[in-house]
Amino acid sequence: LIAVLIFFIMNDARYRLLLIRGLEHSGTTILDLALGGNPQIVGLGEASRLLREPRPGDKHNGPRLLRGPDRFSRLCTCGETAGNCSVWGDYLPWLVDNDFEDMSLKFARLLDRCGSHDSNIWCVDSYQDDLSLLSLPREKFDVRIIHLVRDIRSWLPGRIKAARRKGLPFSRIRGAARWIHVNNKFSRVFNASSLPVLRMGYEEFAMYPELCLRLVCNWIGVPFCDKMIFPKAYSNSHVLLGNPVKNNASRFKSIKYDASWMSGNFDVVSSSCVFLPFVAKMNKQHVYSN
């Protein structure tokens, strides 16, 4: 009986952290902002990327610049500069002096600023491919994962264009292989972690945002809020790193499906990937499971 009581006390005292993981350009930022429209959820964008100690060669990357004067010019999605943000303002100077600390301590300090420890507040980290936070101590952190996957037919054309701009060969094969490999790897790692995982497709979310957001709210035990449907207007998120258009009010005014892949530049070869049986099975399980 004493052991059970201790377990529940520890559970109640844990920080609540929701991880959005998936490939780049799969809707992680817009989902972060949408969740932040709920008064009991605070989106933090690619926080785990920002909290990592920069390496010597990272002179010009975002995390290093935000540790310096850049924090007084870089806007947070809350509308303030990073240096004046209620979450990041005093935290960034502290981070400079404590970069050597363990990630669990850095995150605990950050989540304390959002009220995650002493109230039913969930914080969101949407650094797509980071898996390091899965090892945060369970006795201190209540960690859950949303595995967000975009239909290979809509994800691949954009990655092909990006690869061609860089002059990379075999762009279709490379892109398709990456979609298959990374999503399979995530599934294996998430299953092995025994952490709670909610699988969601970008297409499901973008076409049926209210249903998907209600699903997430039910899953983490918070009431749904209508404001979540209008991310930029009502989001409580404090995103410094993420999709470059995160501060574009017109782009994120509401949640809409990006159907540009169906336009005149429709890539027949890319779309044919889904006719491979194992790819079709993956696409259905990962993107349309709800």
Side-chain angles (χ1 to χ4, degrees), residues 90-216:
D90 295 333
Y91 180 82
L92 292 171
W94 176 89
L95 189 60
V96 172
D97 297 329
N98 295 273
D99 254 335
F100 59 89
E101 293 287 0
D102 184 77
M103 184 65 89
S104 63
L105 188 147
K106 291 181 179 179
F107 250 94
R109 176 93 177 198
L110 177 61
L111 301 189
D112 269 331
R113 298 181 62 81
C114 304
S116 173
H117 191 258
D118 301 317
S119 60
N120 191 29
I121 297 291
W122 283 85
C123 291
V124 182
D125 177 283
S126 55
Y127 188 21
Q128 303 101 326
D129 58 355
D130 174 78
L131 298 175
S132 65
L133 299 187
L134 274 63
S135 60
L136 288 172
R138 305 283 178 90
E139 68 275 8
K140 195 170 184 178
F141 294 88
D142 180 358
V143 179
R144 302 192 189 188
I145 305 163
I146 296 178
H147 185 191
L148 187 64
V149 183
R150 187 167 185 165
D151 191 312
I152 189 171
R153 293 168 293 183
S154 67
W155 182 84
L156 197 50
R159 299 306 88 218
I160 291 171
K161 291 178 185 177
R164 286 175 176 169
R165 284 196 296 269
K166 296 177 181 178
L168 299 175
F170 309 112
S171 55
R172 289 188 179 91
I173 296 173
R174 291 163 64 97
R178 176 167 168 73
W179 187 93
I180 294 166
H181 169 70
V182 172
N183 285 312
N184 264 331
K185 178 186 75 173
F186 280 179
S187 289
R188 289 195 306 271
V189 172
F190 297 157
N191 290 337
S193 74
S194 73
L195 290 168
V197 180
L198 177 64
R199 186 180 289 160
M200 183 183 294
Y202 164 73
E203 275 68 20
E204 290 180 330
F205 168 59
M207 293 180 182
Y208 305 99
E210 181 174 339
L211 290 175
C212 287
L213 292 170
R214 285 184 180 277
L215 178 65
V216 175

Side-chain angles (χ1 to χ4, degrees), residues 244-261:
V245 298
K246 61 185 179 297
N247 290 311
N248 186 327
S250 60
R251 177 75 177 271
F252 286 156
K253 186 177 180 181
S254 60
I255 302 168
K256 297 178 181 178
Y257 181 56
D258 177 8
S260 57
W261 69 280

Side-chain angles (χ1 to χ4, degrees), residues 65-75 81-84 88-89 92-93 96:
L65 295 174
L66 281 164
R67 284 164 166 75
D70 238 38
R71 68 178 184 272
F72 294 108
S73 58
R74 181 78 68 92
L75 277 180
T81 62
N84 294 315
W88 295 106
L92 292 171
V96 172

